Amino acid sequence: MKVLFSHKTGNKYFYDENSNQDYHCKEGMIKRDDILNNVIVKSNKGVLFTVLTGNNFDRSIKIIRGPQIITNKDLGYIISRTRINKFSNILEAGGGSGAATIFFANLVNSVKTFEIVPKHFEIIKKNLKKNEIENVELILGDLNEYIEKENDNHYDLIFLDLPNPTKILEKNLNCLKKGQYIVIYQPSITQIKEIVDFIVKNKREDFFVEEISEISVRNWKITEKIARPEFKKEIDHTAFLIFIRKV
Ligand SMILES: C[S@@+](CC[C@H](N)C(=O)[O-])C[C@H]1O[C@@H](n2cnc3c(N)ncnc32)[C@H](O)[C@@H]1O
């Protein structure tokens, strides 16, 4: 994959190197040979582009979208906060579009992902293939029904991005190593409150709520004459994160 950055608009375009066609976009036509052999190219409308070789970040933008995906700002924080690494095993639900799955899979030893909706399952399957991910076990099913069948002390992180996560907290979570995290991603703070209430009401001393967070990113535009926050790229609220440790 090649990535073309327009010098005029800052727009980003993706070019499949396996295509034998020239590239057409609203900023003009760019010749295939130019894209493959140059770093700076010019369209027939006179717009200049910088050509880069695509990386994992670019590929993540191009995944097939089904359910709403988690954002990079939140994924980055989960990794730094839980310190999962190349030896870690993650249990995840629901898979959705596979954005979190692919991100985790590129960093850890293994990911097991449950997705309950067949249509979403197929999207994740395609996205995993497209991204050449081989350390994910993808299961079509309800995590609630399977979680107690997982091997004891196997997982370093349980990541939940689904409705009614307290149903999972009611289960026996022997599959999660002690001291490790259940991270739950929920769009509304009332949903996070429900989780905290559930833990308190049920006197769940096996869970310790370590942190509740909302992550913000502010991008800046800097040119010769401008130095200010970007208007378009500001990501406002996405969801809240709760970090629960298994005692
Ligand atoms: C918001 S999406 C997850 C998006 C995903 N984190 C991503 O980044 O692409 C929530 C998904 O959870 C699935 N889901 C809901 N309940 C589930 C359950 N009990 N077990 C497995 N998947 C479930 C839904 O079908 C949906 O695809």
Side-chain angles (χ1 to χ4, degrees):
M1 179 201 280
K2 291 282 184 191
V3 184
L4 288 86
F5 281 97
S6 161
H7 292 200
K8 186 178 169 195
T9 59
N11 286 348
K12 192 174 183 179
Y13 301 97
F14 298 95
Y15 181 76
D16 181 355
E17 284 160 297
N18 298 320
S19 156
N20 48 19
Q21 311 276 311
D22 295 331
Y23 187 72
H24 294 262
C25 64
K26 57 186 177 208
E27 299 185 58
M29 182 276 291
I30 308 125
K31 285 201 158 34
R32 177 179 194 274
D33 282 351
D34 283 351
I35 297 172
L36 297 187
N37 298 312
N38 297 294
V39 172
I40 304 289
V41 297
K42 197 189 254 184
S43 76
N44 65 344
K45 289 187 178 172
V47 178
L48 290 174
F49 296 82
T50 295
V51 182
L52 292 173
T53 298
N55 62 16
N56 280 349
F57 176 74
D58 302 312
R59 277 183 279 280
S60 78
I61 296 170
K62 290 296 285 174
I63 68 167
I64 306 161
R65 305 291 174 112
Q68 180 71 42
I69 67 169
I70 185 170
T71 55
N72 289 309
K73 71 181 177 69
D74 297 313
L75 285 169
Y77 190 67
I78 294 169
I79 295 295
S80 68
R81 191 62 188 71
T82 59
R83 298 292 158 142
I84 56 164
N85 58 40
K86 61 186 173 189
F87 303 111
S88 306
N89 299 308
I90 297 181
L91 178 65
E92 178 210 20
S97 300
T101 318
I102 292 167
F103 178 81
F104 290 141
N106 275 311
L107 299 171
V108 303
N109 178 52
S110 77
V111 182
K112 187 161 182 179
T113 300
F114 285 82
E115 174 50 57
I116 201 168
V117 175
K119 196 172 143 198
H120 302 168
F121 175 84
E122 290 304 324
I123 290 172
I124 304 164
K125 215 160 95 178
K126 283 187 194 144
N127 281 331
L128 290 174
K129 191 164 178 219
K130 238 173 114 179
N131 283 269
E132 298 171 6
I133 300 288
E134 289 177 352
N135 56 344
V136 171
E137 189 181 350
L138 180 61
I139 310 283
L140 177 61
D142 180 346
L143 179 63
N144 287 288
E145 287 173 19
Y146 289 85
I147 195 158
E148 294 185 347
K149 295 176 190 150
E150 293 294 317
N151 288 339
D152 285 358
N153 295 316
H154 181 64
Y155 294 106
D156 302 278
L157 168 65
I158 296 177
F159 175 64
L160 303 175
D161 179 3
L162 45 60
N164 305 317
T166 51
K167 275 180 152 188
I168 303 279
L169 298 182
E170 282 170 15
K171 302 277 184 290
N172 176 341
L173 300 185
N174 278 351
C175 63
L176 181 66
K177 293 175 188 168
K178 284 194 173 182
Q180 294 299 97
Y181 289 93
I182 303 154
V183 176
I184 309 178
Y185 189 67
Q186 299 282 279
S188 165
I189 198 67
T190 51
Q191 293 167 300
I192 299 287
K193 173 93 168 57
E194 269 173 35
I195 296 168
V196 176
D197 288 349
F198 167 86
I199 292 172
V200 172
K201 199 174 138 212
N202 292 288
K203 299 190 173 63
R204 292 294 299 262
E205 288 173 353
D206 51 336
F207 293 141
F208 179 74
V209 176
E210 198 172 71
E211 184 178 316
I212 295 162
S213 314
E214 182 184 13
I215 312 303
S216 300
V217 172
R218 173 172 277 205
N219 296 111
W220 284 67
K221 182 179 177 77
I222 307 234
T223 66
E224 224 177 302
K225 294 184 179 160
I226 298 170
R228 57 153 172 79
E230 288 263 12
F231 300 138
K232 277 190 299 182
K233 286 193 184 159
E234 187 81 14
I235 298 181
D236 217 352
H237 174 69
T238 52
F240 298 95
L241 287 163
I242 179 165
F243 294 82
I244 303 168
R245 286 183 78 171
K246 183 172 163 182
V247 178

